[in-house]
Amino acid sequence: MRQGLSVKPQQPDLIYHLGMAYLSLGDGANAQVYLQPIAGQFPNDIPLQEAFGGCLALQRKYDEALSVFQQAIGQALDGEQSARLQFHVVAALQDLSRTDAALQIVSGLKQTLPDNPEVLLAEAKLHSDLGNMPETKEGLRQVLALEPGNIDAFVLLHKMPRREPDPGTLEQISAFLGDDGIDYRDDIKLNFLAGELLDKSKSYDRAFGYFERANGLRRKTNGAFEMKSHLALVDRIKTVFDRALFANLDGVGKSAEQPIFIVGMPRSGTSLAEQILASHADIHGVGEREEITQISESLGARLGSDRPYPECVPGLTEDISRSLGREYLAGVSVDAPEGARVTDKMPRNFMDIGLIRLLFPRAPIVHCQRDPLDTCLSCYVSDFGRRQKFLTGFSDLGGYFHAYLDLMAHWDSVLDVPVYNLQYEDLVANPEIEIPKLIEHCDLPWDENCMSPHQAARPVIAASRWQVRRPIYKSSVSRSERYGDHLDGLKTALGL
């Protein structure tokens, strides 16, 4: 297909099919390369606009995807096209933590599509983000009454908190997995669910077998993590962001705003940290945002440089820094109350701490830390979908973790204002000590609500959406001990 495109570059059908091929593989970046030009040429082609928005959403460019879908709704030829596009809008709003706006659209869809499983499932997912347990359960049960084989609804229902796992659930999972025609994505979800239920039942050997199968399937479909490229990027960041750079660019970031950045490894306590801070009257939690990554990826072009990030950073000017800061705040503060500070808990922003310091010199950066083995095990047993390729194998997990530690040590060595280290084990053991210290570091007045983060009424778009609704607990500390020899490979990768 590439050869055909090179010969006849103006054939939109060929370009479209090549873009769709990449989209079907989950490669949003390459899909965008082909779909974006023709999407501009044919704004009334709804399937094309839908595909273009889809490739943006795959890259977590949710604001851009939302705009594409919303514009396409006005061009929809019939109710079916309009409804399909509205589903995409709901998904983008959900990913942007704009849950109330998404629920309004779903409410309208329920009027035109009563008893529609897709509508009911979308509504149930939104209620789960808000921690509305009765509404979530009822919605998922309605979906399963209409479609008993709906795997998404089945998995979401049985991931909800309950006193004891239902033994019959594993039999249902086995029946689903025994279907030769099962979709590979459902296969992965069901294996993760089985592992989770067996973990809760303390059947750790059996649980690990399911987690191992789920990750093997995910690795097979996601492709390999490019560790060499990642390590090279870490080295390049360390080379560029030295003390001399910060001295030369001192003052380019003039923003008085103080968003709070929460960084670290996935599953290191970032959601709990944000839930604590978002319980404060002056804070609006916006979840995991992509803006900092998008700024870094586009910085070279923004500076008119032919050098990529991070090599282009020395060319950062005060005007561009201020502009980027304003754009970042405008993007993350869409639904924030006036005057509220925001928390951005994208864990991988640890890669861009240097850039954050240049844009927002006064912004608190909270680094969540947790026992390495517990952190990596929690990553391994969590279903992150197509994201985070490094989580599916012990070797990659260990390599990524060491690179993360290396980069965090580098930031500590070059920053005049160090990041704030929040140790998960200390936080859950002594919240009455650690929470006030965190609030003080973020330059906030004391708010007693921060001691009861489980009561905060806000959307949580994370794997730990139900855990943060519980009072702070200690049962996840030393979780890795339960898996014994199964983690020998991980211990080796971590150098333990």
Side-chain angles (χ1 to χ4, degrees):
M1 293 182 73
R2 283 183 177 274
Q3 184 178 4
L5 185 62
S6 65
V7 174
K8 300 177 180 178
Q10 301 307 319
Q11 287 195 0
D13 286 344
L14 184 57
I15 296 173
Y16 171 77
H17 287 299
L18 185 54
M20 292 301 293
Y22 278 116
L23 189 60
S24 68
L25 294 171
D27 187 342
N30 273 313
Q32 182 179 352
V33 169
Y34 296 104
L35 295 176
Q36 186 165 5
I38 56 174
Q41 293 178 44
F42 303 99
N44 297 331
D45 186 322
I46 299 303
L48 172 57
Q49 298 302 320
E50 189 176 3
F52 177 44
C55 78
L56 293 171
L58 263 180
Q59 299 172 79
R60 304 182 77 177
K61 298 178 179 179
Y62 301 124
D63 281 309
E64 295 177 51
L66 179 62
S67 177
V68 170
F69 293 137
Q70 288 176 328
Q71 290 180 40
I73 288 174
Q75 308 297 327
L77 299 176
D78 53 43
E80 182 180 347
Q81 279 190 343
S82 177
R84 194 168 63 245
L85 289 164
Q86 288 182 73
F87 281 122
H88 290 308
V89 168
V90 167
L93 289 170
Q94 182 181 22
D95 287 319
L96 290 167
S97 298
R98 298 174 60 184
T99 312
D100 290 340
L103 276 171
Q104 288 182 4
I105 296 173
V106 169
S107 178
L109 285 168
K110 285 181 73 174
Q111 300 298 315
T112 57
L113 298 171
D115 296 326
N116 181 286
E118 193 173 359
V119 175
L120 294 171
L121 180 59
E123 184 178 45
K125 287 179 177 179
L126 292 167
H127 280 302
S128 74
D129 292 343
L130 290 167
N132 298 335
M133 193 174 295
E135 292 87 347
T136 304
K137 282 185 178 179
E138 178 60 24
L140 294 174
R141 286 171 175 159
Q142 288 181 35
V143 174
L144 291 169
L146 294 165
E147 286 186 355
N150 190 306
I151 301 299
D152 279 345
F154 178 84
V155 170
L156 288 171
L157 179 62
H158 291 286
K159 277 183 172 287
M160 294 185 68
R162 58 180 65 200
R163 288 187 178 88
E164 295 292 337
D166 180 359
T169 304
L170 285 172
E171 295 179 9
Q172 290 178 277
I173 292 174
S174 295
F176 282 131
L177 292 175
D179 183 353
D180 291 337
I182 187 171
D183 184 271
Y184 76 90
R185 290 162 293 195
D186 291 338
D187 197 346
I188 292 169
K189 293 173 188 176
L190 289 165
N191 275 280
F192 273 117
L193 175 62
E196 185 176 318
L197 296 176
L198 287 164
D199 178 275
K200 290 178 180 177
S201 300
K202 301 182 180 180
S203 300
Y204 302 118
D205 290 338
R206 290 182 64 199
F208 188 80
Y210 280 101
F211 290 135
E212 198 168 34
R213 174 172 167 77
N215 278 293
L217 289 167
R218 178 68 72 199
R219 191 160 53 251
K220 183 178 179 181
T221 56
N222 279 10
F225 178 64
E226 297 179 357
M227 181 62 73
K228 288 184 179 179
S229 297
H230 178 70
L231 296 179
L233 176 58
V234 170
D235 285 341
R236 289 165 54 208
I237 289 172
K238 289 166 56 183
T239 298
V240 171
F241 286 94
D242 58 10
R243 280 193 168 274
L245 176 91
F246 288 106
N248 291 337
L249 296 182
D250 183 35
V252 297
K254 295 289 188 181
S255 176
E257 300 290 342
Q258 296 184 64
I260 300 170
F261 294 91
I262 303 169
V263 305
M265 281 286 290
R267 310 297 289 158
S268 62
T270 56
S271 292
L272 176 57
E274 181 174 54
Q275 190 76 350
I276 290 168
L277 289 167
S279 300
H280 196 285
D282 297 336
I283 294 292
H284 180 73
V286 299
E288 299 181 2
R289 300 296 297 228
E290 293 288 333
E291 277 82 356
I292 292 297
T293 298
Q294 291 167 5
I295 288 172
S296 67
E297 290 176 346
S298 64
L299 188 59
R302 192 68 175 264
L303 295 172
S305 172
D306 58 359
R307 308 182 76 189
Y309 181 87
E311 286 77 13
C312 63
V313 172
L316 185 63
T317 65
E318 183 176 325
D319 286 345
I320 292 178
S321 175
R322 286 184 174 184
S323 178
L324 291 172
R326 287 193 297 268
E327 290 171 17
Y328 169 84
L329 290 168
V332 300
S333 304
V334 171
D335 292 326
E338 186 175 353
R341 291 168 63 189
V342 298
T343 56
D344 179 339
K345 66 157 289 261
M346 174 55 76
R348 73 163 180 267
N349 278 343
F350 76 84
M351 295 286 290
D352 295 318
I353 285 176
L355 178 61
I356 290 170
R357 269 284 175 260
L358 292 174
L359 299 181
F360 299 102
R362 297 175 57 199
I365 301 175
V366 178
H367 172 212
C368 293
Q369 298 174 292
R370 185 182 177 190
D371 174 82
L373 206 54
D374 283 348
T375 299
C376 292
L377 171 63
S378 188
C379 288
Y380 187 74
V381 303
S382 300
D383 185 3
F384 284 87
R386 290 181 177 272
R387 297 176 289 147
Q388 318 286 25
K389 291 182 180 180
F390 68 90
L391 301 180
T392 61
F394 287 164
S395 177
D396 285 343
L397 263 170
Y400 188 93
F401 192 88
H402 279 299
Y404 142 75
L405 288 181
D406 183 35
L407 189 54
M408 290 307 304
H410 173 75
W411 296 132
D412 284 342
S413 72
V414 298
L415 295 175
D416 289 333
V417 181
V419 301
Y420 181 82
N421 293 318
L422 181 65
Q423 189 68 36
Y424 174 79
E425 289 80 5
D426 294 341
L427 175 61
V428 299
N430 301 295
E432 71 284 354
I433 296 174
E434 297 301 323
I435 292 176
K437 287 164 57 179
L438 173 63
I439 300 304
E440 182 180 3
H441 174 77
C442 294
D443 195 24
L444 292 163
W446 177 245
D447 187 331
E448 190 64 31
N449 290 322
C450 295
M451 295 302 298
S452 304
H454 59 288
Q455 296 179 355
R458 56 177 291 266
V460 178
I461 318 297
S464 52
R465 56 170 53 82
W466 292 117
Q467 288 97 315
V468 297
R469 308 293 182 189
R470 295 170 54 189
I472 293 175
Y473 57 90
K474 308 174 188 176
S475 57
S476 291
V477 174
S478 300
R479 181 186 185 188
S480 56
E481 294 178 2
R482 306 166 195 168
Y483 283 87
D485 295 345
H486 291 298
L487 302 185
D488 284 350
L490 180 55
K491 293 174 184 176
T492 299
L494 290 170
L496 300 176

